[in-house]
Amino acid sequence: MALTGTYVPSSAQWVRDQVAEYEASGGQRATTLPGRDDPTPIVVITSVGKKSGNLRKNPVMKVERDGSYLAVASKGGAPDDPTWADNFRAHPEVDLQDGAEKRTYSVRELPDGPERDDWWTLAVESWSTYAEYQAKTDRLIPLFLLEPKD
């Protein structure tokens, strides 16, 4: 994995706990969001903080096709983007762990259009709650495509 630096855990206890358990188990435990009945898997994404330059880790719903992943900046339909979206924009390279597999990815935000529509369809098919989140907010939920670096 390419990113180096000081890891600063999330201020949210559940995020800290999930990331720690996921990584400690090699991606075998804490593989779904806590407190949910659905078995939808997550991945853990490490990004570089926009302001701090520190490493940040977030569990994100797994939306994958042909080795590329989609990070959906839904924040539960809140009126603002999650902090990690700004990290991605400022530093468009991340590390992603999917189960035991870890790899570095280039990040690009998908503009409104056919490619975004295609990935949004896959996101909603992967986790239908995304459609509910979009209905709750006036902002167009940002989509970030993570493509493997060679």
Side-chain angles (χ1 to χ4, degrees):
M1 305 232 299
L3 301 184
T4 60
T6 302
Y7 168 53
V8 176
S10 172
S11 60
Q13 185 68 48
W14 75 268
V15 172
R16 288 194 308 271
D17 292 347
Q18 181 159 30
V19 167
E21 182 68 16
Y22 190 90
E23 290 184 330
S25 70
Q28 299 303 305
R29 293 188 306 272
T31 58
T32 62
L33 287 182
R36 299 204 49 102
D37 295 329
D38 58 25
T40 306
I42 59 100
V43 295
V44 172
I45 299 176
T46 303
S47 62
V48 176
K50 176 183 176 182
K51 295 178 185 174
S52 69
N54 292 322
L55 299 182
R56 304 295 186 164
K57 298 181 182 188
N58 295 95
V60 176
M61 302 308 292
K62 180 179 177 177
V63 179
E64 184 269 339
R65 179 171 48 205
D66 299 329
S68 293
Y69 291 80
L70 188 71
V72 180
S74 64
K75 197 177 177 182
D80 58 330
D81 295 344
T83 303
W84 59 257
D86 286 335
N87 296 348
F88 284 18
R89 291 177 181 120
H91 304 283
E93 182 176 272
V94 299
D95 289 337
L96 181 144
Q97 181 174 349
D98 182 358
E101 184 177 337
K102 300 175 184 179
R103 196 163 181 188
T104 302
Y105 293 80
S106 296
V107 177
R108 64 184 173 92
E109 189 168 359
L110 297 178
D112 201 10
E115 183 181 30
R116 184 193 188 285
D117 294 345
D118 178 51
W119 279 97
W120 177 254
T121 297
L122 180 62
V124 173
E125 288 171 357
S126 299
W127 201 53
S128 63
T129 307
Y130 283 136
E132 296 170 27
Y133 291 167
Q134 183 60 75
K136 287 172 55 175
T137 185
D138 291 332
R139 69 185 170 95
L140 183 63
I141 292 175
L143 302 182
F144 295 89
L145 186 60
L146 284 57
E147 298 171 300
K149 292 192 74 163
D150 294 329

